[in-house]
Amino acid sequence: MSEIVPGAFHYAGFLDKAEQTALAEEIAGVIAAAPLYVSTMPKTGAPMSVRMTNCGVLGWVSDKERGYRYEAQHPTTGDPWPAMPPRLLYLWNELTRYPKPPEACLVNVYDEKARMGLHQDKDEADFGAPILSISLGADCRFRLGGTRRGDPAIAFALASGDALVLSGPARMRYHGVDRILPMIATLMPPALAPFGARVNLTLRRVT
Ligand code: MD3
Ligand code: FE
């Protein structure tokens, strides 16, 4: 584990290959029940390059008319989100030690061209709760800034099986995904290979 900045804990290679594959199979099941969708930017309606879905009680969605928010139903099927796999609840407990369970797990799927611009996570009611991110598949170049947009940022790679916990003073830092790196050593877990090159799971408290 390395504490990149106060409150940001990087667990490189936290999940071994067998655990990555088992988790990927469960996420393939989530995607089968709750198809990937494209969120659009508030006001402009510009599509995001990352495709998404969720599991858990609440899911993150965005569209032109109503903007960023959490919803209990899938935006196109209208179904409730699939349950969070117990493995994710276990990882949350083990890595965050937070007394309440995560309410949302956002599944972000990146193809080779997808990116995520620098932003803060502020659609949640309780900024005191940590965030847990788990990466599968291709490496990415991840950017972690300060609490103001113009603050200097550091960049580092997130690889398959890595976990990142954002808590305390790191919770409100700007962050983004600069680019997906070509896959060399790491293979996409077979269960997720049909969807994209990189999958990130972001577990959060919402209410
Ligand atoms: C640092 N996802 O969905 S996860 C997002 O890789 C999001 O898909 C990225 O940012 C991804 O909102 C990054 C790692 C992460 C998540 C939340 C953070 C890093 C963070 C909150 C504060 C600081
Ligand atoms: Fe974010």
Side-chain angles (χ1 to χ4, degrees), residues 134-158:
I134 298 164
S135 295
L136 294 171
D139 297 358
C140 75
R141 183 179 159 89
F142 180 75
R143 178 178 293 263
L144 184 61
T147 52
R148 290 170 303 186
R149 182 172 285 282
D151 287 347
I154 53 170
F156 55 97
L158 285 178

Side-chain angles (χ1 to χ4, degrees):
M1 187 278 289
S2 98
E3 188 168 7
I4 302 212
V5 292
F9 302 93
H10 184 197
Y11 295 81
F14 190 75
L15 299 180
D16 67 21
K17 275 273 147 14
E19 290 169 317
Q20 292 172 43
T21 300
L23 181 55
E25 283 168 357
E26 291 168 352
I27 297 307
V30 167
I31 294 171
L36 295 171
Y37 56 88
V38 175
S39 288
T40 54
M41 296 298 289
K43 297 188 182 71
T44 68
M48 298 184 184
S49 60
V50 178
R51 292 182 301 153
M52 304 175 172
T53 190
N54 294 268
C55 56
V57 175
L58 293 170
W60 190 88
V61 301
S62 174
D63 57 33
K64 181 179 180 177
E65 293 76 21
R66 299 177 58 204
Y68 304 151
R69 63 200 188 276
Y70 284 89
E71 296 279 1
Q73 283 93 26
H74 190 284
T76 62
T77 69
D79 291 336
W81 302 105
M84 217 177 286
R87 184 186 308 279
L88 289 179
L89 299 174
Y90 173 82
L91 289 169
W92 170 270
N93 290 335
E94 194 171 20
L95 285 165
T96 72
R97 299 281 159 196
Y98 195 70
K100 296 177 195 168
E103 295 168 293
C105 171
L106 173 62
V107 178
N108 287 325
V109 177
Y110 295 77
D111 66 20
E112 296 74 5
K113 297 276 169 61
R115 287 170 176 31
M116 188 174 286
L118 205 65
H119 67 278
Q120 286 175 301
D121 289 12
K122 50 185 184 188
D123 304 319
E124 301 78 26
D126 183 4
F127 298 152
I131 293 175
L132 170 61
S133 151
I134 298 164
S135 295
L136 294 171
D139 297 358
C140 75
R141 183 179 159 89
F142 180 75
R143 178 178 293 263
L144 184 61
T147 52
R148 290 170 303 186
R149 182 172 285 282
D151 287 347
I154 53 170
F156 55 97
L158 285 178
S160 195
D162 287 8
L164 191 61
V165 176
L166 295 312
S167 60
R171 172 65 180 76
M172 297 315 289
R173 282 181 181 262
Y174 277 85
H175 57 280
V177 174
D178 289 346
R179 64 185 225 92
I180 303 304
L181 301 173
M183 251 187 279
I184 303 166
T186 56
L187 271 177
M188 192 62 185
L192 286 175
F195 298 108
R198 174 173 185 261
V199 175
N200 183 266
L201 312 174
T202 308
L203 283 74
R204 301 186 179 98
R205 290 290 303 174
V206 176
T207 62

